[in-house]
Amino acid sequence: MTAVLTAIVLLPTVAAVLLLCLPRSTPRTVFLAVWVAVSAAVLVLTLVVWAGYRDDGGIQYETNARWIPSAGIGYHIGVDGLSLPLIALTGVLFLACSVYALRETRRVREFAALFLFLETTCLGLFAALDLILFFVFFDLSIVAMYFIIAGWGHTGAARAALKFFLYTFIGSLALLLGFIGLYLAADPHTFDMVALTEQNPVAGRSVYGGFVLLAIGVGLAVKTPTVPFHTWLPPAHTEAPAEGSAILAGVLLKMGTYGFLRIAMPILPEAWRTYALVFVVVGVVSVLYGALVALAQTEFKRMVAYTSVNHMGYIILAIGAAAAVGDDTGDARRLAVTGATYQMVSHGLLTGALFLLAGVLYQRGRTYDMGAYSGVAATAPVFAALTGVAVFGSLGLPGFSGFIAEFQILAGSLGPRPVATGLSVLGILLTAALLLRALQRMFLGPLRLPEAPGAARPFADIRAHEGAAIVPLLILAVVLGLTPRFLLDVIEPASRGVLEWLAR
């Protein structure tokens, strides 16, 4: 059964290579059908892994093969309660995007192949237990997303893609520098995450550990992104195709926050405890700044992009608060780490749905400008209803996954960091104001639509393939909001493990 995880990781890339071997004259439906079928197969295999996963924690489905033994690098993969939910999220979102793209007509073979390759990089990163393997997948995801934005984006896509690539590539170089620092500190030298976690290689070397954490922290913060490393995100989202934006927000941003939980906290516990307040401050600033700037946006997609900065800020706040000392805060800190992981899954589902809905809006009216729309609910009631559900889910209303995540984050962070948590609550109020204002402007009042030449109706409602992609994401958000136990049972043992390593 250990080979099933390798199959999950590599199957999309194998399919991508096969697609590129087919002639261009092949009907586009073949490329799209293969894309959907492979994405569905990956999700099914992931569910098989989930069904066989034991909730008692620890690394499972582990494969550890020699790759570059002279440098201490191995093909080491496995899953635990931190990675398994994110692998499942990746499978769900990529399948949703493949279904959403069923009407794509522009260079479909290359589009499907790039997304399949990107899926491998995301799955591989979340399964990686070797720092260099993690870095390889981290870097390759940048390349795939660059071509998706540049090749299938809107008018300013080339510039946005270049900015995205340069920012995140520089961040990946900082990450590599930090990984090398850990390798040199380890005895024996190794890039294996499990071995490094057990070694605690920079214990007692506060200055060295601080510099290593700085390098790794900057690399992961750029990918997350947090303020002030966020400026690549809004243009990348605005110019990317809807499927690219959904994956960028739903999966790629989680690479940064996952890296903090998987690498920075357990391998650099002393440095993390020393500088945790910095992460708490960065988290609060990201929460408030993301919400305030989103409030000033006039374009729907750009507004949603800034809310991602806000939501990622809550995760950084939680993992920073988890480093507080004192036995009396143990339960709270465990709640914060669990909430941070839950927030990754919740944000991926809800924001992925919002970006696909933004794609529907652009496909109908050829603009994201909220001022160009009014009274849309009258002509597209299903679209309005789905957008309303996604918005209320993003607000953290009870009954949605966002409520479970934010409640755990705030409850877990309040004891260790009361002032920072109190300030972060303002972010929820600001997010509610901006999202509800957007709903009111676009869907209520007299009907006003931008010109949409050739449309059979002024604003067509949700089509079958769009609904098949978006509705399951929202249903999952509701399921996780009403019955969170099955996911919490997987996450909580891993959260306890992170805090045990952090307490050394």
Side-chain angles (χ1 to χ4, degrees):
M1 285 295 286
T2 57
V4 70
L5 190 57
T6 296
I8 289 172
V9 172
L10 298 182
L11 178 60
T13 291
V14 171
V17 172
L18 293 176
L19 285 182
L20 293 176
C21 292
L22 294 176
R24 291 182 183 273
S25 58
T26 305
R28 71 177 188 89
T29 53
V30 173
F31 301 125
L32 293 170
V34 170
W35 182 9
V36 173
V38 171
S39 298
V42 168
L43 182 57
V44 169
L45 289 173
T46 302
L47 294 177
V48 170
V49 169
W50 193 300
Y53 182 80
R54 303 185 310 276
D55 293 342
D56 55 356
I59 303 295
Q60 300 173 38
Y61 294 92
E62 192 172 5
T63 298
N64 193 356
R66 296 172 60 146
W67 183 20
I68 312 176
S70 59
I73 302 171
Y75 174 74
H76 191 184
I77 61 172
V79 294
D80 66 357
L82 297 179
S83 56
L84 183 56
L86 294 175
I87 289 173
L89 172 68
T90 301
V92 168
L93 282 176
F94 273 91
L95 178 57
C97 289
S98 67
V99 172
Y100 183 90
L102 285 176
R103 290 204 176 184
E104 182 63 52
T105 57
R106 299 172 297 166
R107 304 188 306 283
V108 175
R109 182 181 69 163
E110 291 79 6
F111 193 60
L114 275 172
F115 265 93
L116 287 168
F117 174 67
L118 180 60
E119 186 170 9
T120 281
T121 67
C122 297
L123 294 166
L125 182 138
F126 293 132
L129 294 174
D130 182 276
L131 292 178
I132 296 302
L133 194 62
F134 182 98
F135 174 78
V136 167
F137 288 124
F138 189 95
D139 243 18
L140 291 177
S141 71
I142 300 171
V143 175
M145 184 54 72
Y146 167 81
F147 284 111
I148 288 171
I149 297 173
W152 287 266
H154 304 317
T155 309
R159 183 172 181 177
L162 181 61
K163 188 174 185 178
F164 159 78
F165 184 87
L166 291 177
Y167 261 78
T168 49
F169 185 67
I170 291 172
S172 73
L173 293 179
L175 192 65
L176 180 60
L177 187 63
F179 289 171
I180 293 172
L182 286 173
Y183 171 81
L184 295 175
D187 185 19
H189 296 324
T190 182
F191 286 102
D192 189 272
M193 293 185 199
V194 177
L196 288 168
T197 301
E198 293 171 351
Q199 276 193 39
N200 192 8
V202 297
R205 304 166 66 181
S206 57
V207 175
Y208 187 91
F211 278 114
V212 171
L213 180 60
L214 175 64
I216 292 175
V218 168
L220 297 175
V222 170
K223 193 81 165 186
T224 299
T226 63
V227 175
F229 305 109
H230 69 286
T231 54
W232 62 265
L233 182 68
H237 271 313
T238 304
E239 301 299 337
E243 302 91 339
S245 293
I247 296 302
L248 183 58
V251 181
L252 264 65
L253 301 192
K254 311 307 180 296
M255 292 179 175
T257 49
Y258 172 76
F260 283 119
L261 286 169
R262 171 63 69 204
I263 300 169
M265 294 175 70
I267 299 179
L268 296 163
E270 185 178 325
W272 187 269
R273 291 194 304 270
T274 302
Y275 298 101
L277 183 59
V278 175
F279 292 94
V280 170
V281 172
V282 168
V284 174
V285 171
S286 297
V287 165
L288 296 177
Y289 179 86
L292 286 170
V293 178
L295 191 61
Q297 300 307 307
T298 59
E299 292 188 353
F300 182 72
K301 200 177 187 187
R302 197 173 181 90
M303 179 195 71
V304 176
Y306 274 109
T307 64
S308 290
V309 177
N310 165 271
H311 284 105
M312 292 298 99
Y314 285 110
I315 297 175
I316 301 301
L317 165 66
I319 61 178
V325 294
D327 294 336
D328 57 326
T329 61
D331 291 339
R333 290 183 287 123
R334 186 161 55 251
L335 198 61
V337 174
T338 302
T341 308
Y342 211 94
Q343 174 76 327
M344 292 187 221
V345 177
S346 172
H347 177 266
L349 294 172
L350 291 167
T351 305
L354 277 172
F355 277 117
L356 293 181
L357 288 162
V360 173
L361 184 75
Y362 185 85
Q363 196 275 334
R364 306 296 193 269
R366 295 299 166 186
T367 180
Y368 296 115
D369 183 9
M370 290 183 285
Y373 301 91
S374 177
V376 172
T379 185
V382 177
F383 172 69
L386 293 178
T387 306
V389 170
V391 162
F392 285 118
S394 295
L395 296 182
L397 257 62
F400 291 95
S401 56
F403 172 76
I404 305 295
E406 291 183 5
F407 174 80
Q408 290 183 103
I409 287 172
L410 295 175
S413 303
L414 186 59
R417 299 293 180 185
V419 175
T421 306
L423 289 172
S424 296
V425 172
L426 295 175
I428 297 177
L429 299 176
L430 290 169
T431 304
L434 66 94
L435 288 173
L436 292 176
R437 186 184 67 168
L439 282 181
Q440 184 180 29
R441 290 174 63 182
M442 294 169 55
F443 295 108
L444 304 180
L447 182 63
R448 182 176 68 253
L449 298 171
E451 291 295 329
R457 298 174 54 189
F459 193 105
D461 210 342
I462 289 287
R463 298 186 174 99
H465 71 287
E466 295 163 344
I470 296 166
V471 171
L473 301 180
L474 299 178
I475 290 175
L476 277 173
V478 173
V479 170
L480 292 179
L482 297 177
T483 58
R485 191 69 259 165
F486 78 94
L487 182 55
L488 291 176
D489 285 342
V490 173
I491 296 174
E492 285 174 350
S495 299
R496 285 195 295 270
V498 170
L499 291 175
E500 287 170 3
W501 292 119
L502 186 61
R504 290 175 296 169

